[in-house]
Amino acid sequence: MFSVVVPLYNKEKSILKTMESVLNQTFTDFEVIVVNDGSTDGSVNVLETVQDDRVRVFTKENGGVSSARNYGIRMASYDLVAFIDGDDAWDVSYLEQMAGLIALYPECSVFCSAWCRTTNGVKEYEDFGLEKDLAYKIDRYFKQAVKHTLLWTSSAIVRKSALVECGMFDTNLVMGEDMDLWIRLNLGYEFAFLNKVLAFYIQDAENRACNTGLKPLKRNILSRLADYATAETMNRELKLYLDSFRVRQCIPYFFTKENKQEVLRIINQVDYSALPFYWRIIYSRFAWDVKRQMYQLYKKTR
């Protein structure tokens, strides 16, 4: 049995398709927990048209997607918790094939299938660095994750016991809260992956959280990576994974004056010895000053 958690906030145009992709699964032994996170549009009205005894709908004050997911986890009746956002979709055989993966690797607590982005109906397939259509137990997740994003929330299933033990999603983060959870889970639990595309990230859906501009740095996982400093000293692959993330993701904050000191603090945690040399140049103090001046000039001449 699965508990499927669907966080919902202002998805009236897409929630019905998401629900159809869940309720039409070939594997039918599951419950659906929809957590309405204070929607202000017609999302709930759309949900009322869904007639299925497996669906339970809860409404709470708006607290963000992590708060909604955590609420759903707490309400879950079963230990296997699947996640899908209110604007994504599953292949009709997703749960059936994931049940097979779980049976193959019962010692694991984290399970995921391959996934792809879709824009205007066009699929953009990822390269996961593994032979297609095969199941794998990923023993060195961070080494794999440096180049390939294996875990994505709408294609992930996690044991509730593991979620509760590791603290679930961090509600203080609004960017990278899923990555933060995957790090904690992969430091303490085993992970299995099915390299077959069974989940779809609908990029042009309405109200995408990632489409709403630059989030405050203090609520981005970048500002919290120092929490893993001890783990990094004991796991070089984790260190490389986090350093690669630091240098890439600090770029949007690079030119903002109010973030300069915090970005410097984050970048000073980086060990450049295992990274391409150009990152040293990008984050050199001279390059910082020149590029900031060029950016300020650009803003004045627009």
Side-chain angles (χ1 to χ4, degrees):
M1 288 283 287
F2 294 97
S3 292
V4 180
V5 173
V6 185
L8 175 64
Y9 179 72
N10 289 358
K11 301 289 185 182
E12 64 178 340
K13 295 179 181 179
S14 54
I15 185 60
L16 188 58
K17 289 185 177 179
T18 296
M19 293 297 291
E20 288 173 349
S21 84
V22 173
L23 296 174
N24 290 335
Q25 291 290 301
T26 54
F27 185 99
T28 59
D29 199 3
F30 61 87
E31 65 173 353
V32 182
I33 301 167
V34 182
V35 182
N36 172 37
D37 192 38
S39 294
T40 58
D41 65 353
S43 296
V44 176
N45 293 333
V46 173
L47 272 179
E48 290 174 351
T49 68
V50 177
Q51 301 298 315
D52 194 303
D53 292 339
R54 295 172 294 182
V55 178
R56 293 191 288 156
V57 180
F58 299 89
T59 295
K60 58 183 283 297
E61 290 185 1
N62 180 259
V65 67
S66 291
S67 172
R69 287 173 180 152
N70 289 347
Y71 189 103
I73 293 167
R74 295 187 188 99
M75 294 297 105
S77 302
Y78 308 106
D79 190 47
L80 291 168
V81 180
F83 299 97
I84 184 169
D85 286 351
D87 45 13
D88 293 323
W90 286 342
D91 180 270
V92 69
S93 67
Y94 171 75
L95 287 179
E96 180 179 357
Q97 297 204 48
M98 294 303 285
L101 180 68
I102 293 164
L104 190 61
Y105 298 108
E107 71 276 16
C108 292
S109 295
V110 185
F111 308 88
C112 194
S113 80
W115 53 278
C116 76
R117 295 177 173 86
T118 72
T119 305
N120 296 322
V122 178
K123 295 181 174 65
E124 305 168 32
Y125 291 95
E126 301 284 328
D127 176 12
F128 294 98
L130 299 167
E131 189 172 344
K132 293 181 180 179
D133 299 326
L134 296 181
Y136 298 85
K137 184 176 177 180
I138 307 297
D139 294 318
R140 300 170 69 180
Y141 171 75
F142 300 112
K143 179 180 180 180
Q144 193 77 21
V146 170
K147 294 184 178 180
H148 309 287
T149 305
L150 300 183
L151 272 165
W152 172 54
T153 310
S154 288
S155 65
I157 296 174
V158 186
R159 295 192 188 278
K160 180 176 179 178
S161 52
L163 288 165
V164 172
E165 286 170 8
C166 79
M168 300 190 283
F169 290 92
D170 187 340
T171 57
N172 292 313
L173 297 176
V174 297
M175 182 60 70
E177 70 285 343
D178 45 358
M179 174 183 170
D180 173 65
L181 178 62
W182 306 146
I183 293 171
R184 285 183 276 126
L185 284 169
N186 277 284
L187 284 173
Y189 303 90
E190 296 184 284
F191 169 44
F193 179 74
L194 177 61
N195 194 18
K196 186 172 184 179
V197 174
L198 298 173
F200 306 95
Y201 178 14
I202 315 299
Q203 290 195 291
D204 49 342
E206 87 271 31
N207 190 33
R208 268 289 181 194
C210 60
N211 295 337
T212 56
L214 197 64
K215 303 296 190 298
L217 184 55
K218 65 181 180 180
R219 301 198 68 187
N220 188 309
I221 189 178
L222 280 168
S223 66
R224 300 285 295 278
L225 293 182
D227 294 349
Y228 296 107
T230 300
E232 286 181 272
T233 63
M234 298 184 291
N235 188 327
R236 289 295 300 171
E237 291 172 357
L238 172 63
K239 175 63 175 171
L240 177 58
Y241 173 62
L242 295 184
D243 281 349
S244 297
F245 183 82
R246 287 178 176 110
V247 294
R248 293 196 315 272
Q249 297 301 317
C250 275
I251 291 291
Y253 299 96
F254 193 81
F255 297 113
T256 55
K257 184 177 181 180
E258 63 272 20
N259 289 313
K260 181 176 179 179
Q261 294 304 315
E262 178 63 10
V263 172
L264 284 174
R265 183 190 69 80
I266 295 168
I267 291 302
N268 284 338
Q269 300 167 22
V270 173
D271 175 2
Y272 290 97
S273 63
L275 297 175
F277 183 75
Y278 57 76
W279 287 117
R280 294 175 186 256
I281 300 173
I282 289 173
Y283 285 109
S284 70
R285 190 168 297 276
F286 173 75
W288 181 293
D289 292 338
V290 170
K291 290 174 184 178
R292 269 199 71 235
Q293 292 175 22
M294 291 176 62
Y295 182 66
Q296 295 300 327
L297 180 61
Y298 163 75
K299 287 204 303 183
K300 291 179 181 179
T301 57
R302 287 185 64 183

